[in-house]
């Protein structure tokens, strides 16, 4: 198994462990309200939401705060992820004198498809135009909420949740509004009464109220009463999905708070991105479980333009399809822009901002609102139970095809339940667990289980429905239909799989074991249920005939198309009895993981790595030998000593690590004090010293060549001699004439032989014996006088 396969297995095990912990927290009490409604078929996209954004435009709101409110209204209108939802925007104040009105509808209810989202972007900006608004300076909550409820009731989207988002910076203020009575002192009490009546209406009409307050004069108690007074059942039985007030310090945080409330109201999640001024880049991360989402950019200045790049660094289109995702942009010419994405690529998205000079002072912020869809698949064991029989319910969760979830937090709070319904009895709620207890075989395997007794009054059809919910996640309700039996089942079937991994284009084998208890043959059909349309699976053989009284094992194969995406192949293998009206007699969850086909590297990496290792080792050996050879061939470190009658007249050291030929000349060879000097090879007076094999050869200027033994002088012209010492010889290094490095002159060496010479006096006042680095022993000044001795000692030989 390749390293990539092992990594994917570890990721799956991480998800299983996360679900074990999360599902162990689901209470075993009565199932939540979301599990009870009639089962519905899976939808093509996220559920719609009809909502109104009611914006306080009273006199206490300054121009900047009103602009922030308008941006927030446009933000959630454009960021809505279902194109079947409807959105409206209402501004409100009060009516205190003739010509004033308490409510101004700037955006009538609009379906937020591609064109509708752009209309929301345009009309929400009208909130900032106060010249012709006609709104009074007060705060008339009852009038604003009444307008919103009326619009939500008109031509609402079937099955859509209804929500009102109320943005305000103050308290109920109708003291100067004649509509609330002639007595100014009693107007406030009348206003509070009408507000309670409006909230009662919201509760009856199933409309949630989500208040958002900002500023210092907020009546938090009043906001809480409005949230509690409306409809309390959210999109799921989850604490975060129930209406609640939100209070922020100022208008700058309104867009963030409103988008968070909107996400909670429609069981979505918001990912906070980065902020910055153009030109520059912003980033936001979309998790793997997201199936529908919008990337929103609050840019404030319409002249700022945004370009979007997916996690692979590719620029994505603003409209149309690209690499399995569908894109649709709106609000490009407004202060808020949104890119709706269906099936987004998970990972870090980048938004590149640009703006002309003079339009770069406003900071922009990017966020992503998203929702994921989990699929559930349920089974009943036995498939056709008898009334009063105890049965086992199993449910498996399936995520989007090809996505591996590695962050356990993405499934935080997941809840699973089932409901058994049928003829002759009231529905029975079945809480499901994944804790390894009771009928649940293994904790954390993403296979939920529970046991339930079929009511004794059951007769005819049975339906088992699974349901799931979690923050940011919705689940389809997928029914399992069967019927009760009055006696032993005519046919019983069991299904097992022989392998749990396959590559695209491959097959997985399995075995069907069927027992026919009837007196006639039965034809069984093998099929696949709860499959993704992208799976491209086939099972064969399609049908099997089992003889009367026989128990027959039948091998089968499941074939995976070449284009099957990687990931868990969810769904079930089903066995139905065609002889008995298509009744299901057996099933098994399809627990197969599709892994990418091994690449050339996966198959041969070991050979490549091994061969590369051998080549590196061979290259290292060759390099070492070459280096050693070069060192042996080099003349670096040799010392050339010029002599006459045993007296040293001068020295010259060879330098350069790559010196293989050294040219030198003797200056004033006939004088009493000749010397050595390096010369170019082209000089007519140059001697040429060169290494040949393990020895040295010296070529004279006039031609002729002679060997140069180490430690022994060779004759030159004019009674001169040349002694070569030091450098690197074959097998050891020499720094003197037969002397190892660090061996003092006049002492023993490993060879053990001591030789000494004393030459003629060099000059009056010559120095007496004293060790120096070249083997000579000059004496102290004045020791010799005229004709004084100059000593030298060389080590060459054995002691």
């Amino acid at each position: 198994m390749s390293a990539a396969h092992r990594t994917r297995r570890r990721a799956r095990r991480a998800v299983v462990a996360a679900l074990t912990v999360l599902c162990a927290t689901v209470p075993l009490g009565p199932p939540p309200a979301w599990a009870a409604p009639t089962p519905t078929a899976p939808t093509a996209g996220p559920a719609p939401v009809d909502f109104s954004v009611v914006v306080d435009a009273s006199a206490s709101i300054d121009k900047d705060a009103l602009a922030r409110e308008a941006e927030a209204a446009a933000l959630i209108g454009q960021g809505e992820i279902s194109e079947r939802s409807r959105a409206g925007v209402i501004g409100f104040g009060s009516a205190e004198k003739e010509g004033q009105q308490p409510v101004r509808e700037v955006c009538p209810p609009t379906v937020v498809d591609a064109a509708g989202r752009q209309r929301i972007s345009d009309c929400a900006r009208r909130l900032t135009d106060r010249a012709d608004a006609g709104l009074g300076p007060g705060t008339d909550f009852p009038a604003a909420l009444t307008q919103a409820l009326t619009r939500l009731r008109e031509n609402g989207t079937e099955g859509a949740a209804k929500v009102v988002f109320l943005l305000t910076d103050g308290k109920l203020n109708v003291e100067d509004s004649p509509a609330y009575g002639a007595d100014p002192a009693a107007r406030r009490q009348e206003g509070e009464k009408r507000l309670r009546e409006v909230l009662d209406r919201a509760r009856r009409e199933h409309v949630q109220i989500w208040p958002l307050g900002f500023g210092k004069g907020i009546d938090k108690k009043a906001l809480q009463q409005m949230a509690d007074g409306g409809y309390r059942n959210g999109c799921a039985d989850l604490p975060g999905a129930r209406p609640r007030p939100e209070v922020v310090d100022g208008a700058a945080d309104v867009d963030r708070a409103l988008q968070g409330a909107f996400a909670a109201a429609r069981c979505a999640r918001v990912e906070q991105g980065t902020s910055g001024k153009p030109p520059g880049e912003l980033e936001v991360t979309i998790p793997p479980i997201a199936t529908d989402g919008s990337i929103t950019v609050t840019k404030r200045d319409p002249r700022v333009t945004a370009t979007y790049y997916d996690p692979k660094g590719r620029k994505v289109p603003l409209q149309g399809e690209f690499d399995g995702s569908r894109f649709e942009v709106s609000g490009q010419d407004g202060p808020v822009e949104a890119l709706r994405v269906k099936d987004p690529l998970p990972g870090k998205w980048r938004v590149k901002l640009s703006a002309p000079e003079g339009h770069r002072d406003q900071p922009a912020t990017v966020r992503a609102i998203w929702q994921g869809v989990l699929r559930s698949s349920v089974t009943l064991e036995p498939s056709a139970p008898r009334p009063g029989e105890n049965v086992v319910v199993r449910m498996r969760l399936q995520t989007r095809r090809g996505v591996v979830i590695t962050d356990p937090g993405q499934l935080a709070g997941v809840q699973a339940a089932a409901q058994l319904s049928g003829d002759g009895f009231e529905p029975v709620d079945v809480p499901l667990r994944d804790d390894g207890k009771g009928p649940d075989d293994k904790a954390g395997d993403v296979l939920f289980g529970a046991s339930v007794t079929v009511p004794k009054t059951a007769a005819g059809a049975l339906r088992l429905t699974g349901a799931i919910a979690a923050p940011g996640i919705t689940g389809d309700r997928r029914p399992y239909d069967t019927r009760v039996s009055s006696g032993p089942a005519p046919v019983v079937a069991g299904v097992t799989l022989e392998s749990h991994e396959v590559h695209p284009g491959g097959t997985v084998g399995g075995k069907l074991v069927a027992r026919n208890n009837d007196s006639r043959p039965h034809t069984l059909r093998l099929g696949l249920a709860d499959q993704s349309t992208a799976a491209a699976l086939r099972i064969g053989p399609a049908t099997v005939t089992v003889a009367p009284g026989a128990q027959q094992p039948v091998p089968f194969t499941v074939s995976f198309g070449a284009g099957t995406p990687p990931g868990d192949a969810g769904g079930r293998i089903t066995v139905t009895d065609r002889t008995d009206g298509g009744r299901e007699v057996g099933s098994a969850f399809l627990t197969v993981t599709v892994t990418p086909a091994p690449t050339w590297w996966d198959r041969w990496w070991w050979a490549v790595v091994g061969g590369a290792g051998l080549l590196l080792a061979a290259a290292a050996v060759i390099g070492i030998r070459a280096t050693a050879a070069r060192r042996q061939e080099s003349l670096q470190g040799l010392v050339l000593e010029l002599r006459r009658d045993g007296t040293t007249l001068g020295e010259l050291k060879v330098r350069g690590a790559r010196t293989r030929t050294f040219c030198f000349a003797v200056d004033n060879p006939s004088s009493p004090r000749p010397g050595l000097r390096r010369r170019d090879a082209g000089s007519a007076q140059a001697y040429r010293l060169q290494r040949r094999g393990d020895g040295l050869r010296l070529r004279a200027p006039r031609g002729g060549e002679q060997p140069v033994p180490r430690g022994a002088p060779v004759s030159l012209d004019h009674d001169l001699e040349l002694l070569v010492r030091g450098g690197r010889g074959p097998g050891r290094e020499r720094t003197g004439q037969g002397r190892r490095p660090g061996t003092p002159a006049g002492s023993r060496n490993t060879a053990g032989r001591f030789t000494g010479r004393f030459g003629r006096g060099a000059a009056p006042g010559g120095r007496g014996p004293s060790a120096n680095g070249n083997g000579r022993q000059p004496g102290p000044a004045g020791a010799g006088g005229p004709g004084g001795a100059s000593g030298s000692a060389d080590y060459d030989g054995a002691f």
Side-chain angles (χ1 to χ4, degrees):
M1 183 182 295
S2 68
H5 296 171
R6 290 193 296 271
T7 301
R8 283 189 288 271
R9 279 193 165 181
R10 286 195 294 268
R12 288 196 296 273
R13 286 196 293 268
V15 175
V16 167
L19 282 173
T20 302
V21 175
L22 294 172
C23 296
T25 65
V26 179
L28 274 176
W34 49 264
T38 303
T40 59
T43 60
V49 177
D50 288 353
F51 60 95
S52 287
V53 185
V54 180
V55 178
D56 188 346
S58 61
S60 60
I61 303 292
D62 61 34
K63 182 178 179 180
D64 183 66
L66 190 58
R68 301 290 82 78
E69 287 184 306
E71 291 172 2
L75 178 67
I76 66 170
Q78 293 182 82
E80 165 54 9
I81 57 180
S82 172
E83 59 185 13
R84 297 184 294 143
S85 297
R86 293 195 316 158
V89 180
I90 298 170
F92 75 97
S94 65
E96 300 180 357
K97 61 183 179 180
E98 186 177 355
Q100 290 182 345
Q101 58 188 18
V103 172
R104 180 192 182 200
E105 190 173 58
V106 296
C107 297
T110 303
V111 177
V112 288
D113 53 12
R117 294 168 71 213
Q118 186 60 49
R119 284 197 295 271
I120 293 292
S121 173
D122 296 336
C123 65
R125 280 180 277 175
R126 295 173 54 201
L127 285 169
T128 61
D129 182 12
R130 284 175 162 171
D132 300 322
L135 297 177
T139 310
D140 193 340
F141 290 143
L145 291 176
T146 298
Q147 180 76 11
L149 294 179
T150 301
R151 289 293 181 252
L152 289 174
R153 187 173 57 188
E154 297 174 349
N155 302 318
T157 307
E158 184 179 357
K162 296 179 176 64
V163 187
V164 172
F165 298 98
L166 175 66
L167 281 65
T168 179
D169 76 335
K171 307 174 184 180
L172 175 67
N173 180 10
V174 294
E175 282 82 350
D176 296 326
S177 299
Y180 287 89
D183 183 6
R187 287 171 180 168
R188 179 174 180 83
Q189 293 181 355
E190 180 64 19
E192 292 175 347
K193 176 185 174 182
R194 293 189 190 182
L195 179 57
R196 289 193 297 270
E197 292 172 350
V198 173
L199 294 176
D200 289 341
R201 175 185 170 184
R203 187 165 54 254
R204 291 193 307 270
E205 296 179 2
H206 291 186
V207 179
Q208 302 176 41
I209 310 293
W210 289 73
L212 172 62
F214 60 93
K216 304 301 182 182
I218 294 298
D219 186 344
K220 296 181 181 179
K221 183 178 179 180
L223 296 183
Q224 185 67 58
Q225 289 174 346
M226 283 190 280
D228 293 341
Y231 185 61
R232 293 295 293 160
N233 287 353
C235 56
D237 188 25
L238 301 168
R242 292 176 180 172
R244 63 182 183 274
E246 185 78 21
V247 177
V248 296
D249 292 335
D253 295 324
V254 167
D255 59 343
R256 175 192 56 78
L258 181 58
Q259 195 170 32
F262 179 72
R266 67 137 32 258
C267 274
R269 292 194 199 176
V270 173
E271 300 293 334
Q272 299 293 333
T274 60
S275 299
K277 295 181 180 180
E281 286 190 353
L282 309 179
E283 295 179 347
V284 66
T285 300
I286 296 180
I289 204 170
T291 56
D292 298 273
S294 287
I295 298 174
T296 61
V297 182
T298 305
K299 54 188 183 181
R300 299 186 176 177
D301 190 334
R303 296 292 299 275
V304 176
T305 59
T307 308
Y308 302 85
Y309 295 87
D310 69 11
K312 293 184 178 180
R314 302 170 300 182
K315 179 181 175 181
V316 301
L318 300 180
Q319 302 287 343
E321 297 186 0
F322 176 73
D323 194 20
S325 300
R326 193 173 72 203
F327 301 91
E328 180 185 283
V329 75
S330 64
Q332 288 182 287
D333 59 347
V336 176
E337 182 175 326
L339 180 69
R340 180 186 289 170
V341 189
K342 184 175 180 60
D343 293 326
L345 189 67
K348 184 176 292 184
W349 286 70
R350 293 186 297 116
V351 181
K352 184 177 180 180
L353 302 177
S354 58
E357 293 287 347
H359 296 269
R360 300 176 177 178
D361 58 336
Q362 293 288 342
T365 301
V366 63
R367 301 183 184 94
I369 181 171
W370 63 269
Q371 192 175 70
V373 177
L374 286 178
R375 302 179 61 197
S376 62
S377 181
V378 293
T379 64
L380 193 64
E381 303 170 8
S383 302
R386 297 187 298 273
E389 184 176 7
N390 191 62
V391 295
V392 173
V393 178
R394 300 192 190 279
M395 185 173 75
R396 180 184 179 188
L397 302 184
Q398 299 173 202
T399 59
R400 190 176 65 189
R401 297 288 299 155
V403 174
V404 177
I405 302 171
T406 58
D407 182 6
Q410 294 170 13
L411 295 175
V414 66
Q415 296 182 357
Q419 186 180 79
L420 183 66
S421 60
D423 299 335
F425 66 96
E426 292 296 322
V428 177
D429 295 324
V430 186
L432 299 173
R433 301 183 68 91
D434 186 21
D435 56 4
K437 298 178 181 179
D440 183 54
D441 297 330
K442 185 179 180 181
D445 61 355
V446 203
L447 185 61
F448 297 84
S451 61
V452 63
T453 300
V454 178
K456 294 181 179 180
T457 57
L462 284 179
R463 167 167 281 190
L464 179 67
T465 306
I468 51 177
I473 298 170
T474 60
D476 53 2
R477 298 187 175 114
R478 310 182 66 82
Y480 176 96
D481 291 310
T482 184
R483 68 175 185 266
V484 296
S485 63
S486 57
V491 175
V492 178
V495 178
T496 58
L497 288 174
E498 298 172 354
S499 177
H500 299 283
E501 275 201 8
V502 69
H503 300 311
T507 61
V508 172
K511 183 179 291 186
L512 163 67
V513 179
R515 185 176 72 252
N516 185 356
N517 299 319
D518 203 0
S519 58
R520 59 173 178 164
H522 282 247
T523 299
L524 308 182
R525 180 177 180 82
L526 282 82
L528 296 166
D530 301 337
Q531 291 296 304
S532 168
T533 56
L537 271 62
R538 297 191 310 274
I539 190 169
T543 59
V544 176
T545 300
V546 186
Q551 178 170 309
Q552 183 174 340
V554 179
F556 65 87
T557 59
V558 180
S559 302
F560 292 75
T564 304
D568 292 333
R572 295 184 299 125
I573 299 174
T574 63
V575 184
T576 56
D577 189 350
R578 298 179 62 181
T579 308
D580 193 12
R583 181 177 61 88
E584 187 170 304
V585 295
S587 69
F589 287 112
L590 187 62
T591 55
V592 177
T593 300
V594 182
T595 59
T599 62
W600 179 89
W601 173 257
D602 292 331
R603 291 189 179 99
W604 300 103
W605 68 268
W606 56 272
V608 174
V609 172
L614 291 175
L615 289 175
L616 289 174
V621 172
I622 293 172
I624 292 172
R625 291 182 176 179
T627 301
R630 286 193 299 270
R631 287 180 176 178
Q632 288 185 356
E633 293 175 1
S634 175
L635 301 177
Q636 181 185 12
L638 290 178
V639 177
L640 279 60
E641 186 177 331
L642 184 65
R643 294 183 175 189
R644 177 181 283 153
D645 297 331
T647 300
T648 298
L649 304 176
E651 292 182 351
L652 181 63
K653 188 173 183 179
V654 180
R655 303 182 184 279
R658 297 184 178 181
T659 304
R660 300 181 182 180
T661 300
F662 185 74
C663 297
F664 66 93
V666 179
D667 289 342
N668 304 316
S670 58
S671 68
R673 301 292 297 177
L676 296 175
R677 180 179 299 178
R678 183 168 185 166
R679 289 292 179 90
D680 294 334
S683 174
Q685 291 82 28
Y687 286 88
R688 183 187 300 266
L689 181 66
Q690 191 173 26
R691 190 184 298 280
R692 300 277 184 83
D694 290 341
L696 300 174
R697 306 284 294 184
L698 181 65
R699 184 179 181 83
R702 294 189 298 273
E705 192 174 274
Q706 61 178 322
V708 180
R710 282 182 176 270
V714 295
S715 297
L716 304 179
D717 295 336
H718 304 282
D719 298 326
L720 295 173
E721 296 178 335
L722 181 71
L723 180 70
V724 178
R725 55 184 173 83
R728 292 180 180 272
R732 65 172 182 162
E733 182 171 326
R734 305 178 181 213
T735 58
Q737 182 178 333
R739 195 166 69 234
R740 292 189 301 171
T743 305
S747 65
R748 294 189 178 101
N749 66 1
T750 54
R753 192 177 70 217
F754 180 91
T755 60
R757 292 188 298 275
F758 290 92
R760 293 175 291 181
R767 290 179 295 179
S770 174
N772 67 6
N774 61 14
R776 298 190 302 274
Q777 297 177 347
S790 175
S792 68
D794 290 345
Y795 302 88
D796 186 19
F799 215 47

